[in-house]
Amino acid sequence: DAKTTQPPSMDCAEGRAANLPCNHSTISGNEYVYWYRQIHSQGPQYIIHGLKNNETNEMASLIITEDRKSSTLILPHATLRDTAVYYCIVRGLTTDSWGKLQFGAGTQVVVTP
Amino acid sequence: DGGITQSPKYLFRKEGQNVTLSCEQNLNHDAMYWYRQDPGQGLRLIYYSQIVNDFQKGDIAEGYSVSREKKESFPLTVTSAQKNPTAFYLCASSPPGLQLRGYTFGSGTRLTVV
């Protein structure tokens, strides 16, 4: 699976949009981009995933560049409860890779009042 | 509601002791996983199991053992051979096949060696 690069931390004001970048320059054509988040001392929570089209759900939006080498997770109106570590993961669809999500260090997002 | 239950939430172990962490799921998922997380770090895969009575080593299996006798249960034993077992342990499960939705995680067990 392709490696990902994320900034170690970022701050966001409550009520503003939070834009979390992720670089995955070695991504291959059949690999999806996944985002999870982990609130302190809890298990990670699935947020969203995409292949090449932009995606939106009730939690966030995912923007993937046309060359698929980077993506941005957007939390449209950040709240204090969005303070967490956010993980960007690239996952292939082969039977060898589907069972092994690889988590990096992620981005620590702190939402301030 | 369906989910994954990990117990206990906190566990203290004396050096040289084996301890077993429990993971139970009622999601009817085939695959289950154990991850270890150290402070400020990402998750590292210890073991995973795709079906009952079968499991595979992950990236850091040394000093750990697992069993998968039932679909809903995937206990992890931290043996005395694990040199630095103090960590946060997370169990996860996923449906069969190449499901895109992703994993469901438990709430974790924090193990401390005293």
Side-chain angles (χ1 to χ4, degrees):
Chain A
D1 290 338
K3 300 284 187 194
T4 61
T5 303
Q6 300 177 251
S9 65
M10 62 183 296
D11 295 334
C12 179
E14 188 178 20
R16 305 295 293 269
N19 297 291
L20 283 63
C22 180
N23 286 321
H24 31 80
S25 58
T26 61
I27 193 170
S28 62
N30 66 350
E31 290 181 318
Y32 284 72
V33 179
Y34 281 77
W35 283 84
Y36 283 77
R37 73 179 183 183
Q38 185 178 23
I39 295 170
H40 183 62
S41 293
Q42 296 183 22
Q45 174 191 23
Y46 165 85
I47 301 174
I48 199 168
H49 73 274
L51 182 62
K52 51 185 174 183
N53 298 322
N54 298 339
E55 303 288 344
T56 295
N57 63 20
E58 65 279 4
M59 292 183 67
S61 295
L62 174 60
I63 309 297
I64 302 174
T65 58
E66 192 168 344
D67 64 7
R68 304 209 323 124
K69 293 184 176 182
S70 66
S71 60
T72 301
L73 179 75
I74 301 172
L75 308 177
H77 304 287
T79 71
L80 299 179
R81 289 176 294 180
D82 291 323
T83 292
V85 177
Y86 287 76
Y87 297 100
C88 170
I89 300 164
V90 172
R91 176 189 180 192
L93 292 184
T94 64
T95 53
D96 182 56
S97 63
W98 70 265
K100 294 182 284 185
L101 278 183
Q102 302 287 349
F103 287 78
T107 296
Q108 172 68 64
V109 172
V110 176
V111 180
T112 55
Chain B
D1 288 339
I4 296 181
T5 301
Q6 289 188 242
S7 61
K9 189 171 179 65
Y10 298 96
L11 185 59
F12 296 89
R13 187 195 97 171
K14 292 183 179 179
E15 286 193 29
Q17 282 184 337
N18 293 353
V19 290
T20 298
L21 282 59
S22 171
C23 178
E24 303 277 335
Q25 54 102 355
N26 61 2
L27 299 165
N28 200 33
H29 286 174
D30 284 325
M32 298 186 74
Y33 314 86
W34 275 105
Y35 286 88
R36 168 182 172 141
Q37 187 174 34
D38 293 288
Q41 305 294 316
L43 281 67
R44 292 184 291 168
L45 183 65
I46 305 173
Y47 268 99
Y48 64 102
S49 168
Q50 297 182 12
I51 56 172
V52 174
N53 292 322
D54 183 66
F55 48 83
Q56 307 294 328
K57 292 182 179 180
D59 300 319
I60 55 166
E62 185 175 352
Y64 300 97
S65 66
V66 294
S67 63
R68 187 84 187 278
E69 298 177 0
K70 298 185 297 182
K71 186 175 185 178
E72 58 270 21
S73 179
F74 190 41
L76 173 75
T77 297
V78 184
T79 75
S80 57
Q82 171 47 238
K83 299 304 180 187
N84 185 21
T86 294
F88 188 48
Y89 290 87
L90 286 158
C91 179
S93 71
S94 66
L98 301 177
Q99 296 288 334
L100 298 181
R101 174 76 183 185
Y103 291 16
T104 300
F105 281 86
S107 56
T109 293
R110 191 167 298 280
L111 173 64
T112 303
V113 173
V114 296

